[in-house]
Amino acid sequence: MERAGTHGEMTLTGEKRDWTHSLQDMRQQAAIAAKVFIQRDYTNGTVCQFQTKFPSELETRIDKQQFEETVRTLNNLYAEAEKLGGSSYLEGCLACLTAYTIFLCMETHYEKVLKKIAKFIQEQNDKIYAPRGLLLTDPIERGLRVVEVTIFEDRSLGR
Amino acid sequence: MMTRKVRKWEKLPGKNTFCCDGRVMMARQKGVFYLTLFLIVGTCSLFFAFECPYLAIHLSPAIPVFAILLFFFVMAMLLRTSFSDPGVLPRALPEEATFIEMEIEATNGNVPAGQRPPPRIRNVQINGQIVKLKYCYTCKIFRPPRASHCSICDNCVDRFDHHCPWVGNCVGKRNYRYFYLFTLSLSLLTIYIFTFNIVHVVMRSVNSGFVKTLQDTPGTYPFMLVCFFTLWSVVGLTGFHTYLISLNQTTNEDIKGSWSGKNRVQNPYSHKNIINNCCEVLCGPAYPSVLDRRGLMRDDLPVPTSALSIVPGLWLLLESSYGAMFPLQKTTAPLIPNEHTPDDAKPSMADSAIAHAEKRSPSPREEKLPSLPKSSPTLTKVPPLASPETDAEASIIAKDKAL
């Protein structure tokens, strides 16, 4: 049953995304100064990878190494999700034999890694980005096209 | 203002139909899909009803058992192909669209007045080959490699293969393997039914004569004729897709000749090894849907509480119906099914302008309220959102097609 509430409302499936939206609601009280979009990097094909190039808008807010480290970890996680190897082939063949009905009860490897990614982004937001007035949006909410970085107005510096 | 919770699928743009509260996603035209269902179920029912009892007794009970298993596999694959999200890419939110526009403006520099700006193409290097990424005016994104816009469903689909009316859905990254397994298993089922039908007729004819056999079981023969003709087309299709899979190509790329002939650009996605290509396409990881159809979102609706507030609502309705009666200029040239339609460019400019001006929460809220034809005056720094009429390449394509 859906529970009524103000912020942090639970969905029927208790999805993490509503938590992120309530976090964004709270952050709305700080005005959004700009948004930066980190694009996909297609040099290795259609695997999900993001560009590690440091955007100039973030120069004043965060350390370049820190940011590149975040994106690199993200890229590694997505590479793990899309890895073609023994385990993914086994999963594919097993699923085929059961006419893919096994996915009704079992989570795919990709979905497991997506949960890991969601946790990683939340962690990064809490520890590193929120104190600097930034917010990373999980790329899955943007169709795995971009990593959206919201830059909030820095009121603490009296701007 | 009343706020209600809706599922995200109710607000998704595009021409899909959703069932079971967003769990099922199909194209709008489903007539041919129902025909497919009827043919498969009809043929198999007649086979099970008229021929299986005889074959089970006189040959082996394993024959109908295997037929039933194969039938269920075919149906499972068909429904999986038809009902799943093919890999639709969600459209860019206003901020992202604006960001991309500003990047394009920065790249193009100052275009002299009267001259058309250059076509919107981004060159990327993939595995050593230069691939051009096209800009989609409907979805306001640069399409990822291998993605294409389906004009029937009005969505950009990742690794777009083709739009199949027989399954009533697009075939893309997420459901290509189910589609292939459907055609493969359907070929096997058709061959199986056809073979055992012939065996049945021969066995009965040996016992009681050919004419009497035809008189005993008249109902099956129209469907056997259907079987015979579908056999060739389905087997042919399976063969074609097997060829595509071994080369890691899509139907779309094959039709356009992207990796063959005078272009001389080799397919950068192929592993150059048939087995690796097959494994990647058929046994690769199961990609999740990025659409989040069943997520909840807030939908603010203006609710008229008194007679006075009905008047602005009526006025809005009149404006929208005026807009519908006199639609903005559409291209009348016939389009290839997987080319983008520039129809939505102008109305969505007003939509995104209003959304940007209001500056509500960053969560996606695509309102289906009728958009006012006049654009909002509150935008200042945002460059004018382009439409295909101002883009050189798209207008050239439209001209070519009109000829």
Side-chain angles (χ1 to χ4, degrees):
Chain A
M1 283 298 286
E2 207 185 319
R3 268 174 263 157
T6 49
H7 294 293
E9 297 176 61
M10 295 291 285
T11 64
L12 286 169
T13 53
E15 276 184 59
K16 258 293 306 312
R17 290 169 195 175
D18 263 14
W19 191 92
T20 319
H21 282 154
S22 67
L23 179 68
Q24 288 179 334
D25 289 340
M26 288 190 279
R27 296 233 170 259
Q28 256 187 281
Q29 286 142 32
I32 297 170
K35 288 196 182 192
V36 187
F37 296 91
I38 313 298
Q39 304 288 331
R40 283 271 294 271
D41 176 18
Y42 295 115
T43 47
N44 290 326
T46 49
V47 282
C48 186
Q49 299 280 283
F50 291 96
Q51 290 178 1
T52 48
K53 192 172 77 94
F54 186 61
S56 51
E57 292 92 334
L58 298 178
E59 262 165 24
T60 53
R61 295 295 190 108
I62 193 165
D63 188 29
K64 180 176 166 179
Q65 299 287 19
Q66 189 75 69
F67 179 78
E68 285 181 0
E69 185 58 41
T70 308
V71 182
R72 230 173 267 135
T73 315
L74 253 184
N75 284 342
N76 288 339
L77 284 168
Y78 280 114
E80 186 197 323
E82 299 193 23
K83 194 175 66 150
L84 296 170
S87 59
S88 78
Y89 293 153
L90 196 67
E91 188 191 45
C93 289
L94 190 74
C96 180
L97 288 173
T98 62
Y100 297 96
T101 50
I102 199 168
F103 288 147
L104 293 170
C105 22
M106 199 182 87
E107 226 177 28
T108 66
H109 172 67
Y110 208 115
E111 281 167 357
K112 288 190 191 129
V113 180
L114 282 179
K115 286 203 171 150
K116 253 189 358 186
I117 290 170
K119 219 172 89 175
F120 169 72
I121 288 186
Q122 185 201 333
E123 224 180 297
Q124 291 283 295
N125 273 333
D126 287 339
K127 287 192 207 153
I128 300 166
Y129 291 87
R132 291 173 171 79
L134 298 171
L135 180 73
L136 290 179
T137 306
D138 196 333
I140 196 88
E141 297 189 30
R142 299 289 177 264
L144 288 180
R145 278 196 322 266
V146 288
V147 177
E148 187 181 298
V149 184
T150 313
I151 305 171
F152 292 100
E153 265 177 27
D154 206 349
R155 294 217 177 117
S156 61
L157 294 177
R159 267 193 256 165
Chain B
M1 283 280 239
M2 188 183 80
T3 306
R4 65 183 184 114
K5 284 258 170 152
V6 291
R7 297 262 182 202
K8 286 184 185 170
W9 65 263
E10 296 179 56
K11 296 290 169 192
L12 279 176
K15 297 181 191 161
N16 291 100
T17 44
F18 297 91
C19 309
C20 300
D21 200 19
R23 290 183 182 90
V24 165
M25 179 172 174
M26 291 181 78
R28 245 178 223 177
Q29 298 100 333
K30 297 185 276 288
V32 189
F33 169 67
Y34 294 136
L35 175 68
T36 310
L37 274 177
F38 171 71
L39 286 174
I40 296 175
V41 172
T43 315
C44 292
S45 314
L46 288 174
F47 178 72
F48 292 133
F50 292 107
E51 274 143 56
C52 280
Y54 185 90
L55 290 167
I57 297 167
H58 290 86
L59 270 183
S60 162
I63 294 169
V65 167
F66 185 72
I68 287 173
L69 288 174
L70 200 51
F71 170 72
F72 278 126
F73 189 79
V74 168
M75 290 308 292
M77 291 299 104
L78 172 63
L79 295 179
R80 188 96 197 191
T81 311
S82 304
F83 294 168
S84 57
D85 170 10
V88 172
L89 296 168
R91 297 187 185 186
L93 297 174
E95 295 105 350
E96 193 187 334
T98 317
F99 185 83
I100 295 175
E101 290 279 342
M102 294 211 268
E103 265 190 353
I104 294 170
E105 290 278 313
T107 328
N108 288 347
N110 278 325
V111 180
Q115 244 185 49
R116 283 212 183 92
R120 297 180 165 200
I121 287 184
R122 208 177 251 178
N123 287 325
V124 288
Q125 198 181 55
I126 300 177
N127 289 329
Q129 308 277 352
I130 302 286
V131 175
K132 290 182 195 286
L133 301 185
K134 279 185 172 177
Y135 182 77
C136 181
Y137 286 97
T138 314
C139 303
K140 305 243 183 329
I141 56 169
F142 276 98
R143 285 185 210 129
R146 312 193 94 176
S148 193
H149 191 94
C150 174
S151 59
I152 300 171
C153 301
D154 204 22
N155 288 317
C156 268
V157 178
D158 207 353
R159 202 189 185 277
F160 180 76
D161 195 85
H162 66 286
H163 181 97
C164 186
W166 298 97
V167 302
N169 204 357
C170 286
V171 178
K173 182 162 84 169
R174 292 192 71 240
N175 64 353
Y176 184 64
R177 74 188 68 182
Y178 310 131
F179 174 76
Y180 178 73
L181 289 172
F182 165 64
T183 57
L184 183 66
S185 53
L186 185 61
S187 309
L188 291 173
L189 183 67
T190 319
I191 292 171
Y192 190 86
I193 288 181
F194 195 69
T195 312
F196 280 104
N197 192 41
I198 292 180
V199 164
H200 169 249
V201 169
V202 165
M203 284 177 73
R204 274 206 189 217
S205 304
V206 163
N207 287 340
S208 35
F210 186 64
V211 179
K212 192 167 181 301
T213 309
L214 287 178
Q215 286 170 341
D216 282 339
T217 55
T220 53
Y221 299 106
F223 275 95
M224 286 312 123
L225 217 61
V226 167
C227 226
F228 179 72
F229 288 112
T230 52
L231 197 144
W232 297 111
S233 35
V234 175
V235 169
L237 189 67
T238 311
F240 174 63
H241 279 283
T242 312
Y243 160 76
L244 287 180
I245 288 174
S246 63
L247 294 177
N248 202 334
Q249 270 190 30
T250 63
T251 309
N252 195 5
E253 287 163 358
D254 189 70
I255 288 175
K256 286 184 173 169
S258 309
W259 317 124
S260 61
K262 54 183 171 147
N263 290 332
R264 289 195 197 167
V265 178
Q266 299 289 300
N267 186 354
Y269 314 109
S270 169
H271 296 274
K272 311 281 188 249
N273 179 325
I274 290 179
I275 295 177
N276 283 355
N277 284 338
C278 291
C279 284
E280 188 203 318
V281 178
L282 298 176
C283 305
Y287 296 98
S289 171
V290 295
L291 272 189
D292 188 28
R293 307 187 293 276
R294 290 180 45 78
L296 291 167
M297 58 186 277
R298 260 174 267 131
D299 182 31
D300 293 329
L301 291 174
V303 176
T305 50
S306 67
L308 286 171
S309 55
I310 292 172
V311 174
L314 272 177
W315 177 74
L316 261 162
L317 216 63
L318 277 171
E319 280 269 21
S320 66
S321 54
Y322 176 84
M325 280 194 292
F326 300 97
L328 299 157
Q329 190 180 16
K330 293 184 181 184
T331 65
T332 50
L335 291 170
I336 299 172
N338 54 4
E339 288 281 27
H340 68 263
T341 49
D343 299 334
D344 297 348
K346 280 180 181 164
S348 53
M349 272 167 69
D351 272 336
S352 55
I354 290 167
H356 196 83
E358 286 176 338
K359 260 204 170 178
R360 296 260 173 86
S361 75
S363 59
R365 211 174 341 112
E366 289 142 274
E367 306 217 353
K368 284 257 157 96
L369 286 174
S371 57
L372 303 172
K374 303 180 193 71
S375 63
S376 164
T378 55
L379 284 176
T380 48
K381 291 172 193 166
V382 178
L385 296 172
S387 66
E389 285 74 42
T390 60
D391 183 284
E393 193 198 75
S395 55
I396 290 167
I397 292 171
K399 271 188 200 153
D400 282 341
K401 297 224 179 74
L403 288 171

